[in-house]
Amino acid sequence: MSHIFAFLKPSHPRFWLFAPFIVLTLLALTYLAIWQFLVGQIRDGLRDNGVAWQQIHASGFPARLTLDLQKPSWQGDGMAWQSDDMSMTLMPFNQEHAIVDFPAPHNIVYGEQAFRLNHQGHMASFVADFGGLVRSSMDIQKPRLSGRIGDRSANIVAANIDLQMRRQADEPARYDVSVTTQDLIYNDHQTIGRLTGMFDVALNLVTASHIDELIGERIAIDKLNLTRGQLTLAGRGTIVLAANGYIEGKLDLNFINLEALLDVLEEFGLSKPRDRKKILFFGGLGTALSGDTQDRINLPLQFRKGRTYLGDIRLASAPRWRP
């Protein structure tokens, strides 16, 4: 045995021949210990934040750290999420950045409402620090959200949804959100087409565990662009989730083709067909007095006291944000 340990003496003639291999072995064992430690830290962090699973498996050593979760779930106050599979990948020395792959559908319960989100691919990227989420991006291919809102069924499908979030530097409790959708269809026939929006929202809008916590939340719409058939629309404004269950606020709209806008408003129940002639008359009169052309019109869309107004014309009920 002594002749084996003799190689470890620097004075031995063969020590420097084997020294690099000894050093590499020690470094590899140290790196493995750190990698295993990080696996434990991340697993504990997931548990501390309410994430549960049936099985978890770590892989990717040494280049990366991937956790595969079977039957992951999360339970909060008034909200729950569950899926069949999920994988999270991090670089061992960059735990602030995670890539998450959701290959299976999502089952979501919010209050008394249950929803299911099917898709053909859902990838997400998250960057966090000690203050929480810094930014995230999400891409969902061919999503279909189905469920019930109150006593009505709701189905939303799209070719693609791209979502970006970034924490504001001056207001850490608020985020800039960008959403782009392709071929968005509500309840199988109400087509929105292409929709692009940039919003300023509170983090509470994403993390609230009960719907009543959202009362009074303000959503600043910095940019809203919609293209649907003959309608091209751009808007900006602010809406509030009012205590009466309706949306309140105002959007300043700049659009082409008033009749195409009325088609959309009627399709989504914000206007009645019987009011079309009156709206077209006052809309045309308003554009003539303001100097606008019939091709491009500027009008405010207002939501107040449970009603929708286009300019000064009273339309149907305002959209509800909760049953």
Side-chain angles (χ1 to χ4, degrees):
M1 181 67 68
S2 61
H3 70 279
I4 296 177
F5 289 102
F7 284 105
L8 301 178
K9 296 180 179 179
S11 60
H12 194 281
R14 296 186 181 181
F15 173 81
W16 297 108
L17 178 64
F18 291 97
F21 299 101
I22 296 172
V23 172
L24 288 175
T25 300
L26 291 175
L27 289 175
L29 291 174
T30 303
Y31 183 74
L32 177 61
I34 295 173
W35 191 88
Q36 293 285 5
F37 172 76
L38 293 177
V39 170
Q41 289 289 99
I42 295 170
R43 289 164 67 173
D44 291 344
L46 290 173
R47 286 196 186 97
D48 292 343
N49 285 278
V51 180
W53 53 82
Q54 286 188 0
Q55 291 185 5
I56 187 169
H57 174 70
S59 63
F61 179 85
R64 67 183 189 279
L65 194 162
T66 298
L67 293 176
D68 294 304
L69 285 73
Q70 295 184 9
K71 300 290 184 182
S73 61
W74 177 84
Q75 183 78 39
D77 182 17
M79 184 175 181
W81 165 84
Q82 184 273 329
S83 186
D84 290 334
D85 197 7
M86 164 186 155
S87 69
M88 178 186 301
T89 299
L90 306 91
M91 298 299 105
F93 294 102
N94 186 15
Q95 298 180 63
E96 294 83 8
H97 186 196
I99 305 296
V100 183
D101 182 15
F102 300 98
H106 305 274
N107 297 300
I108 303 166
V109 176
Y110 196 93
E112 298 180 355
Q113 316 301 320
F115 302 92
R116 182 175 176 85
L117 176 62
N118 291 283
H119 56 83
Q120 294 188 10
H122 181 184
M123 294 288 293
S125 172
F126 301 94
V127 176
D129 61 13
F130 291 110
L133 183 67
V134 176
R135 64 180 184 272
S136 69
S137 62
M138 190 176 299
D139 182 75
I140 310 176
Q141 298 291 325
K142 296 188 180 301
R144 174 179 284 272
L145 180 67
S146 56
R148 298 191 67 84
I149 301 177
D151 58 352
R152 297 176 297 173
S153 62
N155 294 282
I156 301 174
V157 299
N160 182 76
I161 294 180
D162 180 78
L163 173 66
Q164 310 281 334
M165 289 183 61
R166 182 182 62 190
R167 188 171 65 196
Q168 296 181 4
D170 54 344
E171 269 193 273
R174 297 193 68 83
Y175 282 73
D176 294 319
V177 178
S178 170
V179 180
T180 301
T181 70
Q182 296 280 359
D183 301 329
L184 189 67
I185 302 174
Y186 179 72
N187 276 355
D188 298 325
H189 66 278
Q190 295 171 315
T191 304
I192 294 178
R194 179 179 173 84
L195 175 69
T196 302
M198 294 185 65
F199 310 93
D200 173 353
V201 303
L203 180 61
N204 186 54
L205 197 67
V206 181
T207 60
S209 58
H210 196 276
I211 196 168
D212 288 339
E213 297 177 23
L214 301 178
I215 295 175
E217 285 292 349
R218 172 180 59 88
I219 302 173
I221 303 174
D222 299 322
K223 182 178 74 172
L224 181 67
N225 293 331
L226 184 149
T227 303
R228 179 185 188 266
Q230 299 298 313
L231 175 64
T232 300
L233 179 148
R236 60 182 303 168
T238 301
I239 60 175
V240 177
L241 307 183
N244 60 7
Y246 291 96
I247 289 175
E248 294 190 354
K250 186 179 78 167
L251 295 176
D252 292 316
L253 302 182
N254 184 305
F255 55 92
I256 296 174
N257 197 324
L258 179 57
E259 291 205 34
L261 175 64
L262 292 178
D263 290 339
V264 174
L265 294 178
E266 290 174 7
E267 192 172 343
F268 284 85
L270 299 178
S271 179
K272 301 295 184 183
R274 66 173 180 267
D275 296 326
R276 174 176 283 255
K277 289 184 178 180
K278 179 179 66 175
I279 297 171
L280 288 173
F281 173 77
F282 285 106
L285 180 62
T287 56
L289 294 175
S290 64
D292 295 329
T293 67
Q294 288 293 328
D295 291 333
R296 184 166 294 277
I297 305 172
N298 292 278
L299 284 174
L301 185 67
Q302 302 178 70
F303 309 106
R304 59 177 188 267
K305 297 182 179 179
R307 305 295 301 184
T308 301
Y309 295 82
L310 184 62
D312 294 327
I313 304 172
R314 178 173 169 172
L315 304 179
S317 298
R320 298 192 66 93
W321 67 273
R322 68 169 184 173

